[in-house]
Amino acid sequence: YSFCTLLEEGGEGPYTKKMSDRLVDGINNTGDVSRKLDEWRMSHPHYGCTTDRASKGVMVVVVIALIVLTYLPYVILNENRGSAGVLCVVIFHIPFCLMLGSYFQIVMIDPGTVPRWWHDAIAAEAASDYQVCRRCNMHKPPRAHFDSISERLVLNMDHFCPWVANTVGFYNRKFFVLFIGYTFVLCTWVCITMLVVFHEQLFPFFGSSSSSSTPADDGDDSVPHHTRILFSASFVINCLFSLMLSCFSYFHFKMAYKNETTIEGDTLPQFHLTPRENWCQVFGKNPWYWFLPVWGDGPDGDGIRWTLAGGKIDGLPNSRQDESRGTELL
């Protein structure tokens, strides 16, 4: 992690504390905090993996194993394919590469946490609208929640996902949504093409009848037994994931469209803007980057300041909003 990330996570070494005091000095008003948030926003994304996260990365190994279980029979061991089979394998690599890129990004990009200097600027006020988290004793920006797994406040937290060994939050949520979306597309493509194009590679109950003596049967007999087993296992697993992710992908794309999270649901309507504005807060303003696993310009905003439906800005010192802001969850 960079120094900026260590500062955000609340490092209290003598050098870190000295730098924190310098950052807080002179930013106790709304204008200075806005300027500092703009500078802080430009430092993202933060890449890296802590020792604690690495210890929870067992599921990452499982995901890689499942990817290999699909790629090995579908691409490497799949020798009996004609022109249609070659085309299927070529198309397969499009969602496959997009899925891998999205997975790398969601695993490696930090979701974003509360900067220490922002907390200190809020704490310097005589009275503040922002709650203090009971778990970490830091002021909570709008839509921030304490993650009991990583033990810190996460900006716009959605949930901790064991499959990626990371918390899904403001700065990496786009890549999580893309990951499950492209995984659904990939699994569905594998299932359909295995049934339609590569059905003779599957286990005998999916292949041609053994009672007929056709050239196709001679080709069936040439398929090694271990290849049939891998094809059949891959087919079953991809069908299961396709069914499961069909609902899961729809759920998360819909929440991005409506500016909701798994934790909040529809309990904070004051953050519901236009559909495009909601979408841009997850996928960014540039439509060319929306469906690509690249950072681009990042999500619209900084995860601390939020535009309310009435046009006000929440997340700044001395910015008292009406009571519709709601109660934040711990």
Side-chain angles (χ1 to χ4, degrees):
Y1 278 108
S2 63
F3 163 75
C4 186
T5 307
L6 290 172
L7 183 59
E8 291 166 15
E9 293 183 345
E12 291 296 341
Y15 178 73
T16 304
K17 185 172 179 56
K18 179 180 178 181
M19 291 297 295
S20 179
D21 291 341
R22 289 176 56 188
L23 286 171
V24 175
D25 184 33
I27 60 169
N28 289 329
N29 63 72
T30 300
D32 288 339
V33 171
S34 294
R35 173 183 51 80
K36 191 63 189 176
L37 283 172
D38 290 337
E39 296 174 358
W40 174 77
R41 170 65 178 80
M42 295 301 294
S43 70
H44 287 78
H46 295 147
Y47 285 89
C49 185
T50 63
T51 304
D52 180 64
R53 274 187 56 202
S55 66
K56 300 179 177 69
V58 177
M59 293 304 295
V60 175
V61 178
V62 174
V63 171
I64 295 174
L66 291 172
I67 293 173
V68 172
L69 182 60
T70 296
Y71 196 86
L72 187 63
Y74 194 89
V75 177
I76 298 178
L77 299 179
N78 188 3
E79 298 178 353
N80 298 344
R81 55 175 183 247
S83 57
V86 172
L87 180 61
C88 289
V89 171
V90 171
I91 295 176
F92 163 89
H93 281 87
I94 298 175
F96 180 78
C97 292
L98 292 170
M99 180 269 293
L100 280 184
S102 301
Y103 189 67
F104 173 81
Q105 296 281 50
I106 183 61
V107 169
M108 296 303 297
I109 291 183
D110 189 86
T113 189
V114 180
R116 170 71 64 176
W117 55 263
W118 182 88
H119 159 78
D120 291 340
I122 298 298
E125 293 185 298
S128 172
D129 288 336
Y130 304 104
Q131 294 182 349
V132 176
C133 176
R134 294 193 298 265
R135 302 289 296 276
C136 65
N137 295 320
M138 291 187 67
H139 283 85
K140 296 173 58 179
R143 313 189 74 180
H145 305 280
F146 185 82
D147 176 25
S148 59
I149 304 297
S150 59
E151 298 184 340
R152 57 176 180 160
L153 279 176
V154 175
L155 301 178
N156 195 212
M157 177 180 170
D158 190 87
H159 69 290
F160 180 87
C161 179
W163 293 95
V164 301
N166 200 0
T167 307
V168 179
F170 182 76
Y171 286 104
N172 62 6
R173 187 181 174 192
K174 164 190 170 180
F175 304 108
F176 176 78
V177 178
L178 290 181
F179 169 62
I180 59 177
Y182 285 127
T183 303
F184 165 69
V185 172
L186 182 68
C187 292
T188 304
W189 177 257
V190 169
C191 292
I192 293 175
T193 54
M194 277 188 171
L195 279 178
V196 176
V197 181
F198 303 125
H199 60 89
E200 294 177 357
Q201 305 267 26
L202 292 173
F203 218 60
F205 48 79
F206 284 117
S208 303
S209 173
S210 60
S211 62
S212 62
S213 56
T214 63
D217 288 323
D218 294 335
D220 275 358
D221 294 337
S222 68
V223 178
H225 188 68
H226 69 273
T227 301
R228 289 190 185 280
I229 294 176
L230 285 174
F231 250 85
S232 300
S234 178
F235 175 77
V236 171
I237 291 174
N238 277 277
C239 284
L240 291 175
F241 273 98
S242 179
L243 290 173
M244 178 182 67
L245 291 176
S246 61
C247 299
F248 201 52
S249 299
Y250 171 76
F251 175 70
H252 278 278
F253 273 101
K254 183 184 74 171
M255 285 198 301
Y257 184 77
K258 298 176 67 175
N259 207 344
E260 298 174 354
T261 64
T262 303
I263 293 178
E264 297 167 352
D266 58 358
T267 60
L268 299 176
Q270 63 270 28
F271 295 109
H272 295 185
L273 307 178
T274 66
R276 184 183 177 89
E277 288 174 319
N278 293 340
W279 183 266
C280 290
Q281 288 183 354
V282 177
F283 289 86
K285 290 184 176 180
N286 192 333
W288 291 101
Y289 296 131
W290 282 353
F291 299 105
L292 295 177
V294 296
W295 177 257
D297 298 325
D300 184 20
D302 52 36
I304 292 181
R305 293 170 295 185
W306 292 89
T307 302
L308 302 181
K312 296 181 180 179
I313 303 296
D314 200 1
L316 294 171
N318 305 313
S319 59
R320 296 183 179 276
Q321 310 295 337
D322 56 41
E323 295 181 358
S324 66
R325 188 162 67 91
T327 302
E328 294 290 324
L329 301 175
L330 285 177

